[in-house]
Amino acid sequence: MAKQLHPTPNLDELEKGPWPSFVTGLKRLAKDKDYMVDVLGHLEHSYKTRKGYWKGGTVGVIGYGGGVIPRFTEIKNEKGEAVFKDAAEFHTIRIMPPPGMHYDTGTLRKFCDIWDQYGSGLIALHGQSGDIMLQGCTSENVQPAFDAINEMGFDMGGAGPAVRTSMSCVGAARCEQSCYDEAKAHKMVVNTFLDDIHRPALPYKFKFKFSGCGNDCMNAIHRADMAVIGTWRDNMRTDDELGKKWFAKHGMNELVNDVVSRCPTKALQIKDAKDVRKGGDISSVALDDTQCLEIDNKDCVRCMHCINVMTGALAPGKDKGASILIGGKSHLKIGSLMGTLVVPFMKLEKDEDYQQLVELAQTIIDFFAENALEHERTGEMIERIGLVNFLEGIGLDIDANMVTNPRMNPYVNTGDWDEEVAKIKAKKAAA
Amino acid sequence: MAQAQRRAVECGVPDPAPFMHPSLLKNKGNWKYHDRPRPGVLHHVSHSGDQVWSVRAGTQRQMDTYTIRTLCDIADKFGEGFVRFTIRSNIEYILADQKKVDPLIAELEKHGFPVGGTGNSMSMVAHTQGWLHCDIPGTDASGVVKSMMDELYHEFKNEEMPNRLHLSTSCCEINCGGQADIAVIIQHTKPPKINHDLVANVCERPAVVARCPVAAIRPALVNGKPSLEVDEKKCICCGACYPPCPPMQINDPEHSKLAIWVGGKNANARGKPQIMKMVASGLPNNAPRWPEVNKVVGDIIKAYKADARPWERLSDWIDRIGWPRFFEKTGLTFTKYLIDDWRGSRANLNASAHVRF
């Protein structure tokens, strides 16, 4: 039995209502732990005064420079003593989950046992970076808690100016729209940078995220410095049986309003079966015995909308891989930036293909480490130096897929135009 | 005697295979299509003919070990001992046997875990740490989210939205919650209050000066001590100086307000991904249940639900109806603060005669 609870009239309000309550969970832990009694008191104080009271510091484990998020209370009495003394330290340990966030219950129970023993018993599944967040630990217990977790085969995540913990979608494990082995790419790329995860020494954070298709369930284009988005080069696959089934259920109005008219590049047309164009870039799916949906794959931008609506009837092609975008980040300091396409297509099938992805990631991290200013994200660096300098720095050829449109101002010296044209033509001829 | 120090085994990201449901492992890369038999349930069919049913349930994200063990007990009883989590902190149980779907749903609901969050429903709010653990939070995260999910419980459990609806919350302008159809983000309205006694000892002053997006901070000698001062006319109250320099307190119980943003879209589906736009600000940080925030979020969702066409995400809907009608339909007020004046802002102005009457 723990000590008596502090009154928590504000937090008690968050036990009402149908959604699962984190406060009820905190109170359950506080039955046995003085630590959590004071964490509740600490949080209630924030609710009452509408301010936060944790400050950072330096806490870590042997051999690593990051991964622990230290928190020390700032609620002190006039003598400088912690008011909630049992919650004076409330550190979080970030742990990298398996790609796709799959678990067997034995593993989750082991995490619970370790965290009941050494920590608060509060675990966030998962943090916004994708970490298992073991929330609430004293400085003294950080090392033994991490030792026990590390013995399980799990490792510390990133924090600070480091390569961060990554996320990948469920992907190939359970999604027909997956265009590469997201888990394999995630594991291979991130495990290449363990030193940069565990010993923060980059200009600022660097995030990888892996989504299996353009639906980008990992929000990679917005959030990742390097976003790997699954796509395909050949024609969309189609299945007449599932096409007919879909059409029988949904009918012409939905086909027109929800599928054809929502195609961003007008690549879809409804045709009588006999009028469907023949040709290498055309695929079609039967709607009934006389009508088909025709897809001009040269116009398709792989946005995923029609495939989302008519899953199975339409599917990604077989020549699969990924598009790579660089430089996504959130507001501070210069405003939200989305990633910029720098590789329209990278085949991801054989081990060598994945190795090529790893090598590109290494080149980009090296360039970032050398060229970014302190506290500058990759996207901000590209904004400062220009995309062309970045591409030259990492050795990628320019491609018209990289722009929304060409330059809209004349403020550039094009004196070497002919040489550039000759260089590009020679390269194309040699390829 | 102290024990010998254990050095970390730098094992990195673990191989997911041992943690995956056997049906997922067997059919990896070979799935054919899926459908949704009911809200909260995905049915995937493999080219091999195998089928799995995934049952999705909401959680409180910050979970006590009792809750996690309860979820594990349910997995052991119905889900062959495997679970996975989504990016929005929903838990998923994978079933190879359709007959277990209904009993599993009943068990989850009995323990208070709502089943839903699939397809065109409103999923769980992606959120941050807030007062519970963050060192710079202007508000709480778990509490704002709990109060919103209570209000929008029905929309999680049912698929009645035009398309999927994603929300996020963030406790400072760093916006860790991320881009979403609707986002609730702290918006400070007063420059930082500087404790000049502490700056010299706590802050690396040139680094703090460099953090300011509008160059409003400069080194200064205050009361004989090296400190920093803020040109309050230039200051945009973003709070970027606060993390590297905690004596520049930006959080204020009264003047740190909440803003609402809409139309963020991560997917490439239909249009390209979108960055969200601010549509309301000045909402009070009214713990413990933030009724003013809930009112605005609820009004936006109501208008979207009533007016958007099937498959229109919030941003697609606004693209069709236009911003004036968005403000009209949601009852929000378009103010001068919503006209962008940051870098590149003219691209956000209407350079056409396109007007909807």
Side-chain angles (χ1 to χ4, degrees), chain A residues 13 19 47 71 92 103 105 109 116 123 133 135 150-151 155 172 174 176 191 198 214 222 333-334, chain B residues 6 9-10 12-13 29 34 62-63 65 69 76 83 92 129 133 140 146 150 210 266 268 289 342:
Chain A
E13 290 297 313
W19 191 259
Y47 269 71
R71 293 292 177 251
T92 281
Y103 298 99
T105 54
R109 287 180 200 279
D116 278 338
I123 303 177
M133 294 205 296
Q135 296 190 297
N150 197 210
E151 291 290 338
D155 200 356
R174 199 204 53 202
E176 68 275 14
N191 285 355
H198 295 138
H222 282 118
K333 152 179 174 180
I334 68 169
Chain B
R6 179 187 176 280
V9 178
E10 214 152 345
V13 176
H34 81 278
Q62 327 287 133
M63 287 184 275
T65 46
R69 289 195 182 100
D76 288 339
V83 299
E92 286 182 345
Q129 300 281 23
H133 187 264
D140 197 30
K146 161 73 176 151
D150 281 343
N266 305 117
N268 292 264
R289 294 204 69 105
W342 188 241

Side-chain angles (χ1 to χ4, degrees), chain A residues 45-307:
Chain A
H45 186 72
S46 279
Y47 269 71
K48 206 159 56 192
T49 58
R50 298 182 187 183
K51 276 178 81 171
Y53 295 97
W54 297 112
K55 70 168 180 193
T58 311
V59 177
V61 297
I62 294 157
Y64 288 176
V68 180
I69 314 298
R71 293 292 177 251
F72 298 93
T73 182
E74 281 191 300
I75 308 176
K76 305 264 177 79
N77 62 21
E78 51 294 348
K79 286 184 228 154
E81 299 155 343
V83 172
F84 299 100
K85 63 179 173 51
D86 289 311
E89 298 169 348
F90 191 62
H91 315 315
T92 281
I93 302 178
R94 289 183 175 174
I95 299 295
M96 293 193 281
M101 293 168 175
H102 302 271
Y103 298 99
D104 65 279
T105 54
T107 299
L108 286 177
R109 287 180 200 279
K110 261 190 242 167
F111 272 113
C112 290
D113 293 344
I114 291 167
W115 208 234
D116 278 338
Q117 184 183 351
Y118 295 109
S120 68
L122 186 68
I123 303 177
L125 295 166
H126 297 80
Q128 280 299 99
S129 291
D131 290 284
I132 301 165
M133 294 205 296
L134 301 160
Q135 296 190 297
C137 189
T138 59
S139 304
E140 190 185 10
N141 279 350
V142 164
Q143 185 71 50
F146 174 70
D147 288 346
I149 292 159
N150 197 210
E151 291 290 338
M152 286 169 66
F154 283 79
D155 200 356
M156 193 84 89
V163 170
R164 296 298 190 89
T165 301
S166 179
M167 293 170 99
S168 50
C169 60
V170 67
R174 199 204 53 202
C175 184
E176 68 275 14
Q177 304 180 350
S178 159
C179 291
Y180 64 98
D181 187 339
E182 303 81 2
K184 178 175 178 165
H186 173 169
K187 184 167 171 275
M188 272 181 76
V189 169
V190 171
N191 285 355
T192 304
F193 297 104
L194 294 178
D195 191 38
D196 282 313
I197 291 176
H198 295 138
R199 291 160 203 94
L202 294 173
Y204 198 18
K205 65 181 92 169
F206 193 100
K207 296 183 179 182
F208 294 101
K209 293 193 198 297
F210 302 87
S211 287
C213 76
N215 284 320
D216 192 5
C217 290
M218 293 299 102
N219 312 348
I221 293 176
H222 282 118
R223 304 197 300 172
D225 298 279
M226 178 162 165
V228 182
I229 310 286
T231 190
W232 66 97
R233 276 190 299 202
D234 56 343
N235 291 349
M236 216 183 268
R237 280 180 291 167
T238 60
D239 184 305
D240 287 341
E241 192 193 328
L242 290 173
K244 287 178 179 176
K245 205 168 135 193
W246 185 92
F247 189 69
K249 188 173 170 200
H250 295 273
M252 187 55 83
N253 292 358
E254 283 188 33
L255 181 73
V256 171
N257 295 332
D258 297 349
V259 183
V260 176
S261 73
R262 294 209 179 279
C263 173
T265 53
K266 314 287 177 278
L268 306 177
Q269 294 184 79
I270 300 163
K271 293 269 179 89
D272 288 342
K274 63 179 170 45
D275 297 332
V276 170
R277 282 180 286 167
K278 307 278 177 264
D281 301 322
I282 303 296
S283 34
S284 77
V285 62
L287 300 165
D288 53 27
D289 292 338
T290 58
Q291 286 180 298
C292 289
L293 182 67
E294 181 193 280
I295 302 129
D296 188 331
N297 287 282
K298 277 285 173 214
D299 291 337
C300 169
V301 287
R302 279 64 175 164
C303 87
M304 296 304 292
H305 174 74
C306 62
I307 297 177

Side-chain angles (χ1 to χ4, degrees), chain B residues 4-254:
Chain B
Q5 291 181 337
R6 179 187 176 280
R7 286 202 72 88
V9 178
E10 214 152 345
C11 50
V13 176
D15 179 2
F19 306 105
M20 283 163 62
H21 187 281
S23 295
L24 300 193
L25 202 53
K26 183 181 160 211
N27 293 286
K28 189 178 166 193
N30 198 30
W31 297 99
K32 188 178 179 194
Y33 73 97
H34 81 278
D35 52 26
R36 300 193 307 278
R38 55 151 282 172
V41 181
L42 306 168
H43 166 230
H44 284 86
V45 179
S46 163
H47 286 289
S48 74
D50 286 1
Q51 305 179 64
V52 292
W53 286 263
S54 304
V55 176
R56 186 179 290 177
T59 75
Q60 61 271 54
R61 190 179 100 139
Q62 327 287 133
M63 287 184 275
D64 58 305
T65 46
Y66 175 85
T67 298
I68 295 173
R69 289 195 182 100
T70 303
L71 291 167
C72 287
D73 291 343
I74 297 172
D76 288 339
K77 201 164 158 194
F78 298 94
E80 290 147 54
F82 292 92
V83 299
R84 70 171 294 272
F85 287 86
T86 73
I87 189 173
R88 313 189 90 76
S89 300
N90 301 311
I91 191 166
E92 286 182 345
Y93 294 84
I94 318 293
L95 307 179
D97 179 1
Q98 188 182 8
K99 288 201 283 297
K100 288 183 180 166
V101 171
D102 288 337
L104 168 61
I105 291 171
E107 186 79 1
L108 283 164
E109 298 269 355
K110 189 179 97 187
H111 286 94
F113 301 107
V115 171
T118 49
N120 51 321
S121 67
M122 192 200 102
S123 190
M124 163 66 163
V125 183
H127 71 89
T128 51
Q129 300 281 23
W131 288 330
L132 177 64
H133 187 264
C134 185
D135 59 336
I136 53 170
T139 185
D140 197 30
S142 314
V144 183
V145 170
K146 161 73 176 151
S147 67
M148 289 204 294
M149 291 310 293
D150 281 343
E151 296 277 330
L152 298 163
Y153 190 69
H154 176 86
E155 305 301 351
F156 179 86
K157 293 190 58 164
N158 293 278
E159 294 179 349
E160 296 173 356
M161 286 291 151
N163 197 344
R164 65 198 63 231
L165 181 67
H166 288 166
L167 273 70
S168 75
T169 67
S170 295
C171 319
C172 77
E173 287 173 32
I174 292 172
N175 184 33
C176 296
Q179 296 284 326
D181 293 291
I182 305 175
V184 180
I185 309 178
I186 275 282
Q187 183 81 20
H188 305 293
T189 63
K190 295 278 184 218
K193 285 186 192 136
I194 306 173
N195 183 340
H196 294 288
D197 293 337
L198 299 179
V199 170
N201 286 334
V202 178
C203 316
E204 196 187 322
R205 294 188 303 152
V208 183
V209 169
R211 291 280 181 101
C212 179
V214 292
I217 303 173
R218 56 193 170 224
L221 214 57
V222 182
N223 304 327
K225 289 179 185 155
S227 186
L228 294 163
E229 64 184 15
V230 172
D231 180 342
E232 299 199 350
K233 280 204 190 77
K234 276 168 115 181
C235 177
I236 48 172
C237 311
C238 69
C241 52
Y242 180 51
C245 188
M248 297 181 77
Q249 177 59 259
I250 189 74
N251 291 314
D252 182 286
E254 189 190 339

Side-chain angles (χ1 to χ4, degrees), chain A residues 375-422:
Chain A
H375 211 261
E376 186 177 58
R377 287 285 286 274
T378 306
E380 291 166 316
M381 173 187 72
I382 293 172
E383 180 125 338
R384 179 169 55 81
I385 67 174
L387 182 66
V388 172
N389 282 326
F390 175 71
L391 293 172
E392 282 174 3
I394 61 170
L396 284 179
D397 289 336
I398 62 156
D399 187 305
N401 281 304
M402 294 172 182
V403 299
T404 305
N405 44 257
R407 174 183 293 277
M408 292 199 281
N409 60 68
Y411 299 142
V412 59
N413 183 340
T414 59
D416 290 334
W417 183 270
D418 291 344
E419 285 88 332
E420 277 301 308
V421 172

